[in-house]
């Protein structure tokens, strides 16, 4: 079919809007890495202005007219294919447009300003271990997100669904509560069996002295081997590790180094590399359009968890990486065998920090946050009571009590940025990653043998073909079905976790 003038003009608008959005991405990255603390208020003003400009342009009558005319042109084309580029871009743009037009520009601007200031307040409160210094900011952010949820609305009538839909289109809190309850039961069984096994790893080997310079070298080595292109990307430091996609040729990762915790930076870099590979694998020719965008945060998270855990904690990976670690840290690892190392990095024990937790208890951290943020959003839980509710939930879910708020309700950046509804995508990512890896192992018979030789390109190419290059062509569920031949379920993750429990703790399902 002939591309309509309205569609061509619409694509031009979308791509210019993406340039505006990428400018905000650079400012956000700079805020978390190099911006001096004194620049917080000015940066908040920059964010609020750009957010208002973006929102006003995207929701303008011109945008609505172009979208409507392009949809009419598509409907009139007898050869229109539901999966064709034009149909995909119009479908997804309509969804975003309808959502955005429900939000007043003033609310968008105020959210951008408040969350920018709130993130600075959170970082300082976390550093000082003073929740009270962040409480008023969280109350403001929560109030604005409640207004956002009310403006958007949800078919279920549940405010949480309106915010969750931004990250996982079509998913509901009710569905999550059901699937998370089933998963939680399995996790409790595995943790209980491990506790009764009597086996304990040498965890002290993870907290010896590991100089930051060598940690960075090894992290960069692994990221580059996985396929991350450092000519088109960076690795810097920040309070909370993240990956920011500025645009084609510019993907920025961050981590934090702790010289007495080797796993903190190394595995966070493997994690962020998974995000970065997805960003670098999106089709650059479609940048600015839905076809050049990631499909959901759950799928995005599946890429990071796959490289961090399914690859990065596997015996095959460490056949390749272990000699390099021994050479980099000869003193710290002088008396450590590869088997002891593998047991330590795959150990299962309740921990205070989500980003440092093991594969099994990690999901309990997510379920905890999911329940708390629902209570916050509904008003059932006042912000002032969050520290106590957090500590009580930690004791209930994991049997540990945070000694400080810095290790408790202040540990994550998400709520300071207004990301309510984001946390469930982490566990969704775990489910998808396990199912994808099983499918990749079937498609690439010598996958583990190649990984043991430091050959990761077959896996990356498989992911690019089945996930990255599609953008938003398919829904998350359709994408998983096409890549694995099965609907998404917890089966693959449960098999993976039980297998690890048997390998290291000798327990069986």
């Amino acid at each position: 079919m002939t591309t309509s003038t309205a569609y061509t003009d619409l694509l031009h608008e979308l791509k210019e809007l993406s340039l505006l959005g990428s400018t905000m991405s650079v400012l956000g990255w700079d805020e978390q890495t190099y911006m001096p603390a004194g620049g917080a208020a000015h940066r908040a003003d920059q964010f609020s202005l750009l957010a208002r400009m973006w929102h006003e342009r995207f929701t303008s009558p011109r945008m609505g007219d172009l979208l409507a005319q392009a949809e009419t042109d598509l409907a009139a084309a007898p050869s229109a294919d539901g999966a064709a580029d034009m149909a995909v871009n119009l479908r997804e743009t309509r969804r975003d447009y309808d959502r955005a037009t429900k939000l007043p520009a003033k609310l968008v601007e105020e959210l951008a300003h408040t969350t920018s200031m709130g993130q600075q307040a959170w970082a300082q409160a976390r550093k000082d271990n003073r929740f009270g210094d962040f409480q008023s900011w969280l109350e403001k952010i929560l109030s604005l997100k409640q207004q956002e949820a009310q403006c958007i609305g949800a078919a279920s009538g549940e405010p949480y669904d309106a915010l969750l839909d931004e990250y996982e289109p079509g998913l509901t809190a009710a569905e999550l509560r059901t699937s998370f309850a089933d998963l939680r039961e399995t996790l409790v069984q595995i943790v209980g069996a491990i506790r009764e096994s009597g086996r304990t790893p040498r965890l002290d080997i993870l907290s010896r002295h590991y100089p930051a310079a060598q940690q960075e070298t090894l992290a960069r080595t692994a990221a580059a081997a996985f396929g991350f292109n450092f000519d088109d990307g960076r690795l810097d430091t920040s309070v909370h590790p993240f990956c920011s996609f500025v645009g084609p040729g510019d993907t920025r990762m961050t981590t934090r180094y702790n010289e007495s915790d080797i796993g903190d930076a190394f595995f966070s870099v493997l994690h962020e590399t998974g995000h970065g590979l997805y960003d670098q694998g999106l089709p650059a020719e479609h940048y600015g359009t839905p076809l050049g965008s990631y499909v959901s945060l759950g799928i995005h998270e599946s890429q990071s968890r796959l490289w961090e855990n399914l690859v990065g904690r596997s015996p095959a990976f460490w056949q390749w990486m272990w000699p390099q670690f021994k050479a980099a840290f000869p003193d710290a690892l002088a008396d450590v065998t590869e088997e002891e190392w593998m047991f330590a990095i795959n150990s299962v024990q309740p921990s205070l920090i989500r980003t440092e937790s093991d594969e099994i208890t990690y999901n309990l951290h997510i379920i905890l946050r999911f329940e708390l943020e629902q209570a916050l959003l509904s008003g059932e839980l006042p912000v002032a009571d969050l520290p106590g509710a957090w500590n009580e939930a930690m004791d209930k879910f994991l049997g540990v009590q945070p000694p400080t708020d810095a290790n408790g309700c202040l540990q994550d950046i998400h709520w300071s940025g207004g990301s309510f509804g984001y946390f469930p995508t982490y566990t969704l990512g775990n489910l998808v990653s396990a199912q994808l890896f099983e499918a990749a192992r079937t498609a690439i018979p010598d996958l583990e043998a190649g990984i043991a030789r430091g050959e990761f390109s077959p896996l990356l190419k498989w992911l690019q073909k089945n996930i990255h290059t599609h953008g938003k062509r398919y829904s998350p569920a359709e994408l998983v079905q096409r890549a694995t031949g099965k609907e998404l379920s917890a089966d693959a993750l449960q098999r993976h976790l039980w297998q690890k429990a048997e390998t290291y703790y000798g327990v069986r399902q």
Side-chain angles (χ1 to χ4, degrees), residues 141-149 158-164 371-381 420-421:
I141 293 167
L142 181 60
S143 176
L144 292 172
K145 297 303 289 187
Q146 289 168 331
Q147 293 177 49
E148 179 184 332
E158 194 167 348
Y160 191 86
D161 288 348
L163 303 183
L164 175 64
E371 293 188 358
L372 288 178
E373 66 180 5
Q374 288 179 91
L376 286 168
L377 193 66
S378 69
E380 178 185 343
L381 175 63
F420 286 84

Side-chain angles (χ1 to χ4, degrees), residues 12-55:
H12 176 76
E13 289 292 316
L14 288 175
K15 291 184 178 182
E16 289 207 339
L17 282 163
S18 289
L19 292 175
L20 189 58
S22 72
T23 302
M24 297 174 68
S25 295
V26 173
L27 291 176
W29 168 84
D30 175 73
E31 181 180 19
Q32 300 298 324
T33 52
Y34 294 109
M35 188 190 79
H42 181 62
R43 182 55 48 85
D45 289 341
Q46 292 175 314
F47 271 131
S48 61
L49 173 61
L50 290 170
R52 175 168 57 82
M53 291 171 61
W54 189 96
H55 182 77

Side-chain angles (χ1 to χ4, degrees), residues 204-435:
D204 67 290
I205 63 180
L206 301 178
S207 58
R208 296 175 178 180
H209 181 62
Y210 295 95
Q214 285 92 317
Q215 288 191 48
E216 181 177 1
T217 296
L218 289 168
R220 286 178 174 273
T221 296
F226 284 178
F228 186 80
N229 184 352
F230 277 99
D231 289 336
D232 292 341
R234 294 179 57 90
L235 175 62
D236 295 277
T237 59
S238 66
V239 175
H240 191 98
F242 67 92
C243 180
S244 180
F245 179 55
V246 177
D250 194 350
T251 299
R252 308 185 184 196
M253 304 188 296
T254 71
T255 191
R256 60 189 177 211
Y257 297 99
N258 182 342
E259 294 197 335
S260 61
D261 184 352
I262 182 59
D264 193 2
F266 186 74
F267 287 106
S268 77
V269 171
L270 299 192
H271 181 97
E272 301 308 334
T273 296
H275 284 305
L277 291 173
Y278 189 4
D279 291 338
Q280 291 185 341
L282 292 169
E285 67 272 18
H286 291 299
Y287 173 71
T289 75
L291 282 169
S293 305
Y294 66 90
V295 64
S296 77
L297 281 183
I299 297 297
H300 220 312
E301 187 66 14
S302 76
Q303 303 305 285
S304 61
R305 298 297 280 180
L306 187 151
W307 288 100
E308 176 192 1
N309 292 325
L310 279 300
V311 176
R313 296 182 191 273
S314 69
F317 174 76
W318 285 99
Q319 286 183 47
W320 173 71
M321 180 55 75
W322 180 243
Q324 299 176 66
F325 258 61
K326 290 280 281 188
F329 306 114
D331 295 332
L333 299 177
D335 64 337
V336 181
T337 66
E338 184 176 344
E339 290 72 22
E340 290 172 326
W341 176 263
M342 289 300 302
F343 193 4
I345 65 171
N346 285 289
S347 64
V348 175
Q349 61 174 354
S351 65
L352 297 172
I353 308 299
R354 172 184 63 86
T355 57
E356 299 171 10
S357 59
D358 59 81
E359 284 187 79
I360 295 174
T361 60
Y362 181 92
N363 296 293
L364 295 173
H365 282 269
I366 299 306
I367 296 172
L368 176 153
R369 286 155 175 77
F370 170 58
E371 293 188 358
L372 288 178
E373 66 180 5
Q374 288 179 91
L376 286 168
L377 193 66
S378 69
E380 178 185 343
L381 175 63
V383 171
D385 296 339
L386 177 60
W390 182 287
N391 294 347
E392 182 180 343
M394 285 290 289
D395 186 40
K396 173 185 175 184
F397 280 57
L398 295 158
V400 295
Q401 281 272 2
T404 67
D405 289 337
N407 287 328
C409 63
L410 286 174
Q411 67 180 267
D412 296 303
I413 193 174
H414 302 64
W415 291 337
S416 71
S419 297
F420 286 84
Y422 189 119
F423 278 117
T425 66
Y426 287 121
T427 288
L428 289 172
N430 286 334
L431 297 176
V432 176
S433 69
Q435 193 161 321

